[in-house]
Amino acid sequence: MNRHIWVPSAIKLCGADMTSGFISLDPVMADRNELVEIRLQHYCEQLQAVSDRLVMDSGFNAGEIHTLLPLAAELTGMDIASGVISVAPVLYDRDEKIGEHLCHYFSLLHKQFDQGHEVASAISQSDDKQRKELLAGSDNMRGKVFPSPASTVAKGKKRKKKKR
């Protein structure tokens, strides 16, 4: 199978790494761009390995995998971003845990929808509906100017001066 099909899912997982702080804004030991590149490559390889394992061990077909594994990657990315999968775990290997979560969410989604075809149909119908609503709304919105919402700035608490 072509590894390039996993790039959008790898990008979501890498984005979760950035959100969680696993990929630091200002890394001490390396260049941030290199770290992003390394993680993207790693996630593409990991998603391909999980896909291969699902085909070999469980006999899932390619359609189910191509539909459900990206959804499982989104859920896993949310686990990474929220801290469910730790940035620096002590008791487990982080990448193995991510692989476990990918498999777990794939199984959960497969069980939930019985077959990936139902999910693919629901996703494409949802995308078509959203696309139509956006296109219909864009004609009505041309030339209109919308004010930006006013925001209030929270002020800090005043400190009392200590007597000397």
Side-chain angles (χ1 to χ4, degrees):
M1 268 189 227
N2 188 355
R3 259 194 286 211
H4 296 293
I5 60 172
W6 303 119
V7 170
S9 297
I11 288 170
K12 289 178 183 171
L13 291 168
C14 193
D17 277 349
M18 292 175 187
T19 301
S20 70
F22 184 77
I23 297 177
S24 176
L25 288 173
D26 191 22
V28 176
M29 299 295 287
D31 179 39
R32 187 170 193 267
N33 293 330
E34 289 177 26
L35 293 175
V36 170
E37 188 177 334
I38 289 167
R39 290 308 287 177
L40 283 172
Q41 180 67 29
H42 169 76
Y43 282 131
C44 285
E45 291 171 0
Q46 187 173 29
L47 287 161
Q48 184 61 49
V50 168
S51 171
D52 293 344
R53 187 173 39 194
L54 289 168
V55 168
M56 300 279 282
D57 295 347
S58 305
F60 293 110
N61 67 46
E64 293 172 319
I65 291 171
H66 291 156
T67 302
L68 297 176
L69 193 54
L71 298 175
E74 280 192 52
L75 291 170
T76 302
M78 290 177 206
D79 280 351
I80 293 169
S82 68
V84 171
I85 297 174
S86 179
V87 171
V90 175
L91 300 176
Y92 59 86
D93 180 66
R94 185 174 189 272
D95 291 331
E96 285 180 19
K97 184 63 88 174
I98 290 169
E100 290 172 12
H101 278 243
L102 286 167
C103 291
H104 167 73
Y105 284 127
F106 179 89
S107 297
L108 182 105
L109 290 166
H110 189 269
K111 211 181 299 181
Q112 181 74 27
F113 296 104
D114 248 358
Q115 293 208 358
H117 302 298
E118 292 177 25
V119 177
S121 171
I123 289 171
S124 67
Q125 288 173 359
S126 172
D127 287 346
D128 288 342
K129 183 180 176 184
Q130 287 176 346
R131 202 173 295 117
K132 287 176 185 175
E133 288 174 0
L134 286 173
L135 290 175
S138 66
D139 291 337
N140 297 335
M141 299 298 171
R142 283 203 175 113
K144 291 186 178 180
V145 177
F146 296 95
S148 61
S151 62
T152 57
V153 177
K155 294 184 179 179
K157 201 175 182 182
K158 291 185 178 180
R159 293 185 189 183
K160 293 184 180 180
K161 292 184 179 179
K162 293 182 180 179
K163 295 181 181 179
R164 290 185 182 196

